[in-house]
Amino acid sequence: MSGDGEARRRAAALLPALAPLGGRGWIVGGGLRDALMGRPVTDVDVALDGDAAAAARSLARAHGAGRFALSRAFGAWRVHGGALPFTVDVTPLQGGSLEEDLGRRDFTVNALALPLAGGDVVDLHGGLGDVEARRMRLVAPGAFRADPVRLLRLVRVSRQLGFAIDPQTAAQARADAALATGSAPERLMDELGRILGQHEAWRGVELLDDLRVLTALVPELERGRGMQQNPYHHRDVLGHILEVVRHCAEIAADPEPVFRGAAPRVAARLAEPLADEMTRGHALLLGALFHDVAKPATRAVTPEGRVTFFRHDELGARMADEWLRAMRTSTRLRETVVLLVRRHLPLGFLVHRAPLSLREIDRYLRLTEPAEVELIVLSVADRLATNGPRTTPSAISRHLALAREVLRVHFDLVDRGPVRSPLDGAGVAEAVGRPAGPWLRDALVALREEILVGRVRSRDDAVRFCRNWADRMLK
């Protein structure tokens, strides 16, 4: 490596904090790689030739840190907090020797080892040269078969470091892509979530597709490759989906070009934690990935030659629900993504009825609650990615104008607070003179709308409206 003296000093700076581990051991993995590159180090892996539990106990005691067992299968322990400058994972040597341990690792840039006692970096697989060349390369051809989650990790780490993927490694990934589904769903979702959280996350999604890992994870997407749409689209179904993911990621990163003065609130909303260590922005990208997943299953051609995808939103929502259940995600994440898929079309339909009344906008917002902002962004991204020969610039501009207006109303209503009614359910039933029943929900919704638009301002107004409503609706 160029400047290898400085790189060695950066790596050696990790050693003092690890002195209490004692015994024979080596710093390995991404922490060492990052130190050599001059990147911030937050996690350090140690391969120990000895009792990992006892070593972790000594390290925790010396730094006033906490510790817990990470893996019974591998005997790994994690030490964190206290005076430690980074989290430390201590694992017994895998395979009985350093040579075997490094040979079992994923990529050469992670198969480096620095002795705890100090000295030169051990490099048995050319990892230092690959760090210098900014290249991701497998330690062994069977690395993906040994742990298929590495297929996703290849994408995440290459994007994280800005490294190119060695052609042979890319070819091996494509050959082994189908193995990905044999991994634990939780591990796959963890890696996918990390990819979705990266800068320009859409590039990671496109790289997953290029390596055929994406369609191994979601096989239904493969059916959209090469499937042409109507003249309003300029890409096939899968290409359109990937472009929507890109637009969603770009809007989330910088909402100002689309949403102008509301941009800070959009960005803050999408940055909110949702579930499974994912934000609302992560869920938005998952919704974009699935929003047209059912188009291949619903494609039809009318006698006039028009291509249709009727009810692809409904079927897509069911498909997303099934996939997310299989991936064992939380209910909250699953329900949010399913809502995004199910409701990604209505705002586009409303463009033809613009300008909209407050009542119409409120009905749309209630239909999309609690993912109003995410659905507005998804709808805009979908519109921007639909730019075929029959699409006019005015069609796109009208859609964006409506999206901005609906978003403005949404934030106005949020700031206003809940609509407070002078009558609760019992009061409505009493005013109408009927026992409570299924009708009551519709009456309360109608009353709320009248209050929202300012036509009901008092209790007397509310009683009068409810009686009139009942005379019209309950005969």
Side-chain angles (χ1 to χ4, degrees):
M1 293 178 63
S2 60
D4 57 351
E6 178 60 30
R8 284 197 297 269
R9 284 191 289 274
R10 289 193 297 262
L14 303 175
L15 295 173
L18 302 174
L21 287 172
R24 293 182 69 243
W26 296 263
I27 301 174
V28 294
L32 175 58
R33 176 203 69 215
D34 288 347
L36 291 167
M37 294 178 63
R39 293 170 54 88
V41 177
T42 58
D43 304 278
V44 168
D45 294 324
V46 173
L48 198 73
D49 184 9
D51 187 340
R57 188 183 311 117
S58 298
L59 184 65
R61 186 182 301 119
H63 291 282
R67 64 185 174 91
F68 59 91
L70 269 181
S71 166
R72 292 182 179 179
F74 296 103
W77 284 79
R78 174 164 293 175
V79 185
H80 64 104
L84 268 175
F86 36 68
T87 297
V88 181
D89 289 347
V90 185
T91 306
L93 279 174
Q94 302 302 302
S97 70
L98 178 64
E99 290 74 17
E100 289 187 60
D101 184 290
L102 296 179
R104 294 183 178 190
R105 295 188 174 269
D106 48 12
F107 311 111
T108 59
V109 295
N110 295 334
L112 303 168
L114 177 67
L116 292 179
D120 292 333
V121 172
V122 179
D123 179 14
L124 304 179
H125 302 282
L128 289 174
D130 287 331
V131 170
E132 178 76 12
R134 302 178 68 82
R135 176 175 55 221
M136 297 293 294
R137 186 167 59 86
L138 288 175
V139 169
F144 293 133
R145 292 190 293 276
D147 184 3
V149 172
R150 291 168 171 171
L151 289 159
L152 279 78
R153 191 175 302 140
L154 170 65
V155 171
R156 174 176 64 82
V157 176
S158 67
R159 291 287 307 135
Q160 173 187 327
L161 300 178
F163 281 17
I165 298 175
D166 171 72
Q168 287 186 320
T169 297
Q172 191 66 58
R174 293 186 186 98
D176 292 339
L179 299 174
T181 55
S183 304
E186 297 87 348
R187 295 182 66 213
L188 292 171
M189 285 304 297
D190 177 66
E191 286 292 344
L192 182 58
R194 294 186 185 194
I195 292 169
L196 296 179
Q198 291 180 321
H199 175 63
E200 296 186 333
W202 60 274
R203 295 187 185 274
V205 175
E206 290 194 347
L207 183 53
L208 285 172
D209 178 58
D210 179 61
L211 297 175
R212 297 299 187 262
V213 177
L214 181 65
T215 51
L217 292 175
V218 189
E220 294 84 356
L221 291 174
E222 184 61 42
R223 293 182 60 192
R225 195 185 306 278
M227 178 173 284
Q228 297 306 309
Q229 306 192 69
N230 57 44
Y232 294 97
H233 289 80
H234 62 289
R235 300 192 66 179
D236 63 12
V237 172
L238 180 55
H240 169 75
I241 288 171
L242 294 175
E243 190 166 331
V244 173
V245 171
R246 175 171 69 83
H247 283 299
C248 282
E250 290 176 340
I251 293 171
D254 182 12
E256 198 278 333
V258 173
F259 295 111
R260 301 173 181 171
R265 296 189 73 168
V266 173
R269 173 69 174 180
L270 297 180
E272 287 179 7
L274 180 66
D276 301 0
E277 298 186 5
M278 294 193 190
T279 65
R280 291 190 172 276
H282 290 96
L284 169 64
L285 297 182
L286 285 172
L289 191 62
F290 277 93
H291 83 285
D292 280 353
V293 71
K295 274 190 170 180
T298 57
R299 189 180 190 274
V301 182
T302 68
E304 299 76 26
R306 185 165 63 94
V307 177
T308 65
F309 302 99
F310 289 132
R311 297 187 176 178
H312 73 274
D313 49 341
E314 297 176 12
L315 178 58
R318 293 196 295 272
M319 293 166 69
D321 183 81
E322 292 174 3
W323 189 85
L324 291 162
R325 287 179 186 274
M327 299 302 284
R328 301 176 188 169
T329 68
S330 68
T331 299
R332 192 177 189 198
L333 177 62
R334 173 171 52 82
E335 290 181 346
T336 299
V337 175
V338 169
L339 177 63
L340 292 175
V341 178
R342 180 174 288 123
R343 302 298 187 206
H344 76 274
L345 293 176
L347 187 61
F349 296 149
L350 290 173
V351 173
H352 305 291
R353 294 165 53 184
L356 303 182
S357 67
L358 175 58
R359 192 189 304 270
E360 289 173 308
I361 293 176
D362 179 64
R363 287 176 180 174
Y364 167 78
L365 291 171
R366 283 189 286 111
L367 183 72
T368 60
E369 186 182 9
E372 303 95 332
V373 173
E374 296 94 310
L375 271 161
I376 292 170
V377 173
L378 177 57
S379 178
V380 167
D382 198 9
R383 173 73 272 187
L384 293 173
T386 306
N387 197 16
R390 287 195 184 174
T391 300
T392 63
S394 63
I396 296 176
S397 62
R398 287 197 306 272
H399 193 115
L400 268 59
L402 180 61
R404 285 190 285 267
E405 173 64 9
V406 172
L407 188 71
R408 181 193 64 78
V409 171
H410 167 65
F411 285 134
D412 285 349
L413 294 177
V414 169
D415 294 340
R416 186 188 302 186
V419 175
R420 301 192 182 280
S421 173
L423 295 179
D424 59 10
V428 172
E430 181 182 353
V432 172
R434 285 175 173 265
W439 64 271
L440 187 55
R441 179 183 180 279
D442 292 338
L444 288 168
V445 169
L447 176 59
R448 178 195 171 280
E449 284 188 358
E450 294 298 299
I451 297 168
L452 178 68
V453 300
R455 297 182 62 178
V456 168
R457 300 176 183 275
S458 67
R459 181 180 178 84
D460 288 344
D461 290 343
V463 169
R464 188 178 307 109
F465 168 78
C466 290
R467 288 173 178 171
N468 290 336
W469 181 89
D471 288 342
R472 288 183 290 106
M473 304 301 295
L474 301 181
K475 287 184 179 180

